[in-house]
Amino acid sequence: MTTQPQPAVTPAPAPPQPDRRNAELGLLCLAAAITTVALLIVEVDQHRDLGWEIVGYAGAYLVLFGGAHLMIRRYAAYADPLLLPVVALLNGLGLVMIHRLDLAGPPDGGSQPGASQQVLWTLVGVIAFALVLLVLDDHRELSRNGYLCGLAGLILLVIPALLPARFSEEGGAKIWIRFPGFSIQPAEFSKILLLIFFAAVLVAKRDLFTSAGKHVFGVNLPRPRDLAPLLVAWVVSVGVMVFEKDLGTSLLLYTSFLVIVYIATHRVSWVLIGLALFVAGSTVAYFVFAHVRVRVQAWLDPFADPEGTGYQMVQSLFSFATGGIFGAGWGNGQPDYVPAASTDFIIAAFGEELGLVGFAALLMLYTIVIMRGLRTALAVRDSFGKLLAAGLAATLAIQLFIVVGGVTRLIPLTGLTTPWLSYGGSSLVANYILLALLLRISHAARRPLVDPPPQQTTPIAAAGTEVIERV
């Protein structure tokens, strides 16, 4: 007796995992609405006529970041849906504040950076963002070029120090490369390249850092030849920053280096050694370099010279005091009395017109970006991606702390810009590249694993049987 063979039973395919791109688009529309409302309030409070150009600005904003959204939908479909909308909102609010400062004009009658130039730099930044997503298919490709990235980062740091002062110096700091019609600050790009280098080297030599070497006073020290590449990169970068008188970037690079080393080795001893080196280096710099001494003295007592070295800090403190809890309102304050209000002190402008509540809201937006970056570092599966994502998020957090701490007199002023908020083409483009790298790593962390196709086998229970006659 035989039975008819039953058809093979194939398992039902798993439902597709949602990519949350529609949620991202909705949040982008909300960011555009908030930015448009802020612009309308500024125009009304400045007694300007409202026209259809406001609608044009809102439409251009949506088109620009809608294009960025389409690039994510096409090339990083599973990336974190919160990162781009939050950054777009920060960028939009920054453009509104720079426009508001343009309307007031600088108190000394001079010139200051304008919102129109910042719009162009935003366009360049979004284009760079799209190119990174288009060209970089896998973030792990960067680890294979770690030393090349480190070399490029160091070259970018060195160039301004070698150029004549008329091509590189402004405000006493040699940090620029001037071209006809525009200038760039190469240190903004070198911080990303050096982070890639640090992450690649630490992943390759992490076992040596944590095991090989001598045990001295309870601390495991790696062999000098294993630590040499990182030490050379750190010494050269910090040395160039000291000679270029750019203390902010020097502090940012050093602290980012410490954070990524700690993440890679999980050893508190590295942090203690790093802090000891920082204290020693700061003490030497205070007595050797006059510009460091001036910054520290202006921080300790800005009212000792309120019309000179302490003028910026005094005006910043007055701005925060004027803003109070709820602020003077968009367009109702006098943030233009603070020097460099569009660049280094834009946080003080927001503190005056939005108050403590609005200032805290801005910090919460940055906290969302930083926390989602750290969440990406936890979720991604490869060690290089973990270190790079954590380093990028930590760099944002450190830069925000340095900026806000300097403006509020928690630490000495360092001259860094606020990411996506302040005027500055190099900073804006570099931070959009940083955002693209975070989204690329987030896509790798969130995308579903590809399972091999199931074999078309017949289950035993459904298999047909037949009796074979024995001969």
Side-chain angles (χ1 to χ4, degrees):
M1 178 180 179
T2 61
T3 61
Q4 296 295 328
Q6 299 294 324
V9 178
T10 58
Q17 183 175 346
D19 55 21
R20 307 297 298 277
R21 298 277 65 86
N22 292 334
E24 180 182 79
L25 182 59
L27 290 174
L28 279 175
C29 293
L30 178 61
I34 295 173
T35 303
T36 304
V37 170
L39 181 58
L40 285 171
I41 294 174
V42 168
E43 296 291 312
V44 171
D45 287 338
Q46 292 292 307
H47 306 290
R48 290 170 57 88
D49 295 332
L50 299 180
W52 287 103
E53 64 271 10
I54 302 295
V55 179
Y57 293 150
Y61 180 94
L62 271 178
V63 169
L64 183 62
F65 288 101
H69 164 76
L70 291 177
M71 291 298 296
I72 296 177
R73 187 181 286 269
R74 173 65 179 83
Y75 295 102
Y78 292 97
D80 194 309
L82 287 180
L83 289 175
L84 180 63
V86 173
V87 168
L89 179 57
L90 289 170
N91 197 170
L93 294 177
L95 288 171
V96 173
M97 179 56 75
I98 295 171
H99 172 65
R100 183 258 176 278
L101 293 169
D102 287 345
L103 297 178
D108 56 2
S111 61
Q112 67 180 14
S116 58
Q117 296 96 319
Q118 186 74 344
V119 170
L120 293 178
W121 282 117
T122 301
L123 175 62
V124 175
V126 172
I127 291 174
F129 168 88
L131 288 176
V132 171
L133 291 181
L134 179 64
V135 174
L136 187 64
D137 294 329
D138 191 340
H139 64 273
R140 290 172 293 184
E141 297 174 7
L142 297 174
S143 64
R144 294 189 284 270
N145 299 292
Y147 283 90
L148 182 61
C149 291
L151 178 62
L154 292 177
I155 290 175
L156 287 176
L157 286 177
V158 170
I159 289 176
L162 302 179
L163 292 176
R166 66 179 184 274
F167 295 115
S168 61
E169 186 171 345
E170 182 177 339
K174 296 190 64 175
I175 58 176
W176 300 94
I177 301 177
R178 286 196 176 89
F179 298 96
F182 71 99
S183 59
I184 64 172
Q185 190 174 349
E188 293 287 346
F189 303 96
S190 67
K191 70 180 181 182
I192 299 176
L193 293 170
L194 289 176
L195 274 177
I196 296 172
F197 168 69
F198 291 155
V201 173
L202 284 170
V203 166
K205 297 181 178 292
R206 180 164 50 185
D207 293 338
L208 297 175
F209 278 27
T210 56
S211 59
K214 296 181 179 180
H215 191 75
V216 180
F217 298 112
V219 177
N220 288 325
L221 299 179
R223 296 175 298 185
R225 67 172 180 269
D226 299 324
L227 193 58
L230 291 178
L231 285 181
V232 168
W234 174 76
V235 170
V236 172
S237 64
V238 172
V240 168
M241 288 297 99
V242 169
F243 287 113
E244 293 176 356
K245 301 180 182 179
D246 187 6
L247 303 180
T249 306
S250 175
L251 180 60
L252 178 63
L253 290 175
Y254 180 64
T255 49
S256 300
F257 166 78
L258 271 185
V259 168
I260 199 170
V261 167
Y262 173 72
I263 294 173
T265 61
H266 297 162
R267 293 187 178 274
V268 180
S269 56
W270 281 106
V271 179
L272 298 178
I273 294 173
L275 290 177
L277 290 174
F278 172 74
V279 172
S282 300
T283 304
V284 172
Y286 177 80
F287 290 103
V288 173
F289 300 104
H291 62 278
V292 177
R293 206 157 44 247
V294 169
R295 291 288 181 93
V296 174
Q297 291 171 356
W299 165 59
L300 292 175
D301 189 7
F303 291 93
D305 187 12
E307 299 295 331
T309 56
Y311 182 73
Q312 271 188 320
M313 179 54 63
V314 168
Q315 293 299 321
S316 175
L317 295 177
F318 283 154
S319 292
F320 281 109
T322 303
I325 301 297
F326 297 103
W330 278 106
N332 290 326
Q334 293 179 320
D336 48 293
Y337 277 78
V338 182
S342 297
T343 52
D344 299 349
F345 279 81
I346 198 169
I347 287 293
F350 277 100
E352 179 173 352
E353 300 213 329
L354 300 185
L356 179 62
V357 174
F359 180 59
L362 283 179
L363 295 182
M364 287 301 298
L365 291 176
Y366 281 108
T367 302
I368 291 173
V369 176
I370 294 166
M371 293 302 296
R372 302 299 284 197
L374 294 176
R375 181 177 177 179
T376 295
L378 291 173
V380 73
R381 301 171 185 89
D382 64 288
S383 298
F384 174 74
K386 288 181 179 295
L387 272 184
L388 183 57
L392 294 174
T395 297
L396 284 176
I398 294 168
Q399 184 168 349
L400 185 65
F401 172 78
I402 293 173
V403 172
V404 176
V407 173
T408 58
R409 201 175 157 237
L410 180 64
I411 62 174
L413 285 172
T414 55
L416 288 178
T417 58
T418 312
W420 299 295
L421 209 63
S422 300
Y423 178 87
S426 301
S427 173
L428 195 60
V429 175
N431 284 311
Y432 270 110
I433 293 174
L434 184 151
L435 175 65
L437 292 176
L438 270 181
L439 285 169
R440 172 55 66 198
I441 301 173
S442 174
H443 169 72
R446 293 165 56 91
R447 67 184 174 188
L449 293 174
V450 179
D451 297 324
Q455 298 181 358
Q456 300 294 329
T457 56
T458 303
I460 295 178
T465 58
E466 59 181 82
V467 177
I468 303 176
E469 182 179 358
R470 179 180 297 178
V471 179

